[in-house]
């Protein structure tokens, strides 16, 4: 009788451990899925918002319509240096200005207009 009673808690503990580990893995996968969905939704919202701007406004912020997809990707792939969040369009423009780069060269797009 003592042998059976001593084995039960050990077996119960192992099962409990396995269930706990499985639940943690499922929760982690669920969190990753939710983060990916939210990220894709935000990326689409930025893309739609920039495409809704007219060409003059885009030129004022230093962009051409053809650069929108790459700028949106850059916004989501380049974290801001001081925090873990994604860089905003204004922060990216400031970084480019400080580096002496121009997002749009006016000569490149005059023939397209």
């Amino acid at each position: 009788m003592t042998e059976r009673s001593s084995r039960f808690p050990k077996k119960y503990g192992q099962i409990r451990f396995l269930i706990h580990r499985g639940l943690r893995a499922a929760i982690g996968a669920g969190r990753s899925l939710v983060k990916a969905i939210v990220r894709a939704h935000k990326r689409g919202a930025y893309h739609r918002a920039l495409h809704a701007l007219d060409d003059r406004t885009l030129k004022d912020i230093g962009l051409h319509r053809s650069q929108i997809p790459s700028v949106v990707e850059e916004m989501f792939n380049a974290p801001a240096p001081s925090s873990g969040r994604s860089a905003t369009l204004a922060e990216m423009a400031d970084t480019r200005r400080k580096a002496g780069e121009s997002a749009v060269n006016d000569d490149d797009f005059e023939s397209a207009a």
Side-chain angles (χ1 to χ4, degrees):
M1 184 103 179
T2 58
E3 183 180 321
R4 185 174 186 191
S5 62
S6 66
R7 285 176 46 191
F8 179 73
K10 185 176 182 181
K11 186 176 181 181
Y12 176 73
Q14 289 173 345
I15 292 171
R16 186 175 170 201
F17 171 75
L18 291 174
I19 290 171
H20 179 71
R21 187 167 48 169
L23 286 174
R24 284 183 58 180
I27 290 170
R31 283 182 183 162
S32 296
L33 178 64
V34 168
K35 283 182 182 180
I37 291 170
V38 168
R39 191 171 173 88
H41 179 71
K42 284 182 179 180
R43 184 180 288 127
Y46 278 113
H47 198 271
R48 286 187 300 275
L50 287 173
H51 266 289
L53 297 175
D54 62 350
D55 290 335
R56 181 178 174 177
T57 306
L58 287 172
K59 186 176 179 181
D60 286 345
I61 61 173
L63 291 176
H64 186 265
R65 195 162 299 281
S66 64
Q67 295 174 310
I68 291 174
S70 62
V71 167
V72 171
E73 286 302 315
E74 186 178 339
M75 287 174 66
F76 280 89
N77 294 333
S82 61
S83 67
R85 63 183 175 77
S86 296
T88 64
L89 188 59
E91 290 169 340
M92 289 172 37
D94 287 342
T95 304
R96 287 180 177 172
R97 267 190 230 112
K98 288 177 185 175
E101 297 176 16
S102 174
V104 175
N105 185 351
D106 293 333
D107 298 333
D108 293 340
F109 299 106
E110 284 181 2
S111 61

